[in-house]
Each structure stands twice: as C-alpha cells, then as structure tokens.
Amino acid sequence: MTADATSASVGGRLTTAYPRHVAGKVAGAAVSLLAVLVTGFFLFRMIPGDPVRFMTGGRPVSAGQLATYRQEFGLDLPLWQQFTDYCGKALTGDLGTSYQFNAPVVDKITEALPNTLLLTGTAFVIYTVLGILLGTRSAWRHGRLGDRLNTGLALVLYSLPSFWLGLLLIVTLSVGIGPLPGLFPTGGMESGGKEGLAYAVDVAHHLVLPVVTLVAVEYGQTLLVTRSALLDEMGSDYLTTARAKGLRDDLVRRRHALPNALLPTVTLIFINLGRTVAGVILVETVFSWPGLGGLFYQALTVPDLPLVQGLFLVFAAAVILMNTLADLIYPLFDPRVGR
C-alpha cells in the first residue's frame, strides 16, 4: 500500500468515527449536566439555616407570617414537588428568584459574570502563557539549576492555599508593614467617583493583587504538565532527525517538540477555561471582588437556595462544556483519539 493510500485510509476512518465520537461526548455531557441538576438541588438543602428566618431580618414574626413566606417561595411544598418544579423551570432557563436580593437569579448571575471574567480571565491568560513558557524552558534544560528552581517554586506556590496567599498579600502590600506603605487597595473593584480612563486605571489597580494571587497559585500546574509532556517527547526519533538535518536547537523545540507536547496542556487549558467562568470563590471573597465567587459565598450564608443552585449549575455547566470541547478538539491534534 502506498503512502497516499495509507493516509487516505486513516483519514477515512477518522471521518467515519469522529461523528460517533462527537455524539458520545455530547451525550455524556448531557448526562453529567442532569446529574449536576439533581445533586445541586438536594446537596444545598442539607445546609443548616432557615432562609425564611433570614428574609424576616431577625424581626419577631408570627407563625402565620412565616407560613405565608414559605408558601410564596414554594418551601411548603413536598420535596419531590419542589424538585420537579425546579427541574422544569431550569430546563427553560428560569433559575428562580433570589431570597436575599428579591431578583431573578439569572439577572444576578448576568450582573456579576463580567466582573468574574475580568479577574479570572486576566489571570488565566497570564498563568497559561507563563506556565507554557517556563515549562518549555525547564524541560529543555532539565536537571540544571534553572529547572530545579522553576519546578521547586512552582510546586511550593501550587501547594499554597489561595486564600492564605491573598491575605498575606493584603497584609504586606495593602496594609503595609512597618515603614513600608500600602501600595494597593485592600479589596473591592473600584474606589468610586471616577470615569473614563481614570476609572479603567482604578479598576486595574484593584485588579493587581487578586490576579497575582491566582497566577502564583495556578501557573505551576501548567508548568509541570508542559514540562512532563515535553520531557516525554525529547527522546523521540523525529527530534534526532530534525537535529541531523542541521536545524537549530531553538527551532527543533518550537516547531517540532512543543506542538506534540502541548496535547495534554490543551486539555488542561480547556479545564482551566471552564473554571474561569466559575471564578475562585475564596479569592473573590478575600478581596471582596463583586463576581460570581463572592456572590456564591453570600448565597451560602443565608442559605439563598435558588441563587446557590443557579450558581452551582452555571459553574458545573461551564466546566462540562469546556471539557466536552477539549474532547472534541483533541482528535484534530491526534487523530488516533477519534477512531
């Protein structure tokens, strides 16, 4: 069989197998989303606290008034009926009304989503690029001092709790230590009263510490995955052939080794991209960032069941969607996956 015939045979198998691969992954995503819907409903009803008592603001109320509140929000219905109502509405895009804000859950999520995307999206781009660059450099010079320092620092930072690192940065760079003054705001997204360019600069100023926290904690994972994958490729015959052709070491790394080594990193990038929508609850809480993570923490303290369930569903759906896209794109890099 000629090389052209072999290539056509492989391409034909991929063409026929890929639709089945897509159908299987989409079906799996739908089942996962249904499981999230069920889990989110029952899980958060185990949280201690009475949302009706919260809505009264601690004022003394009669049993009749409490019963009216429960009836208004459907909390007097049997649990199975609450569940069927919740599923039916969720499938139509209605996630209910927030107890504490007295507003549609979808509106609250839409309002906070851009703030989360600004924070975690900025951090995502920085720690992804930084992790790939440093991981590539460490793998190509593995065993040297720079490699040991890079991997050691990445492991230390990756193991740190993000909220602890955030508090440490607030103490040192916001509050200040001794003669060192605070350089950044302690929290929030803006100081208020600014417009135009001054507003953009103010938001960027508030963005520095939470982004640094996320980058410091997250870049190590990308670095370690990229380094490990590239080390596996470095002994391959095609790299030896490329060097024998007289290609510079830098070209061999960038044009040949790195594209093949990035396959595991692509999956990790899509997973992290899904987590970008979810945000980082603890970091947003520590820095009082008005995003989905901070909103989720507020909802848990009530508990605001519709808001908690809606946010949980959005978080999980984002991760499931990105994982599914990674599974669908992966065969384009490695046709063996889609067979």
Side-chain angles (χ1 to χ4, degrees), residues 150-166 168 213-224 275 282:
N150 274 336
T151 54
L153 181 61
L155 286 169
V156 170
L157 292 176
Y158 185 58
S159 64
L160 292 179
S162 57
F163 72 90
W164 181 84
L165 181 59
L168 184 64
T213 302
L214 292 177
V215 170
V217 173
E218 297 291 343
Y219 91 96
Q221 185 181 22
T222 306
L223 182 152
L224 295 172
R275 292 172 52 203
L282 293 177

Side-chain angles (χ1 to χ4, degrees), residues 189 199-209:
M189 183 176 171
Y199 172 78
V201 172
D202 184 43
V203 172
H205 193 211
H206 285 76
L207 196 62
V208 171
L209 290 188

Side-chain angles (χ1 to χ4, degrees), residues 195-248:
E195 297 179 356
L197 181 60
Y199 172 78
V201 172
D202 184 43
V203 172
H205 193 211
H206 285 76
L207 196 62
V208 171
L209 290 188
V211 165
V212 168
T213 302
L214 292 177
V215 170
V217 173
E218 297 291 343
Y219 91 96
Q221 185 181 22
T222 306
L223 182 152
L224 295 172
V225 170
T226 303
R227 177 182 181 275
S228 176
L230 190 54
L231 284 176
D232 290 340
E233 293 290 330
M234 286 177 61
S236 300
D237 293 337
Y238 71 90
L239 295 184
T240 303
T241 303
R243 292 190 183 95
K245 290 180 178 179
L247 293 180
R248 298 197 313 272

Side-chain angles (χ1 to χ4, degrees), residues 41-74:
F41 178 83
F42 291 102
L43 176 65
F44 295 114
R45 274 160 175 74
M46 300 171 61
I47 301 175
D50 186 353
V52 175
R53 289 288 183 184
F54 174 86
M55 285 184 282
T56 63
R59 301 185 304 272
V61 293
S62 65
Q65 290 174 311
L66 290 177
T68 301
Y69 275 119
R70 294 184 188 281
Q71 183 178 10
E72 180 182 352
F73 289 97

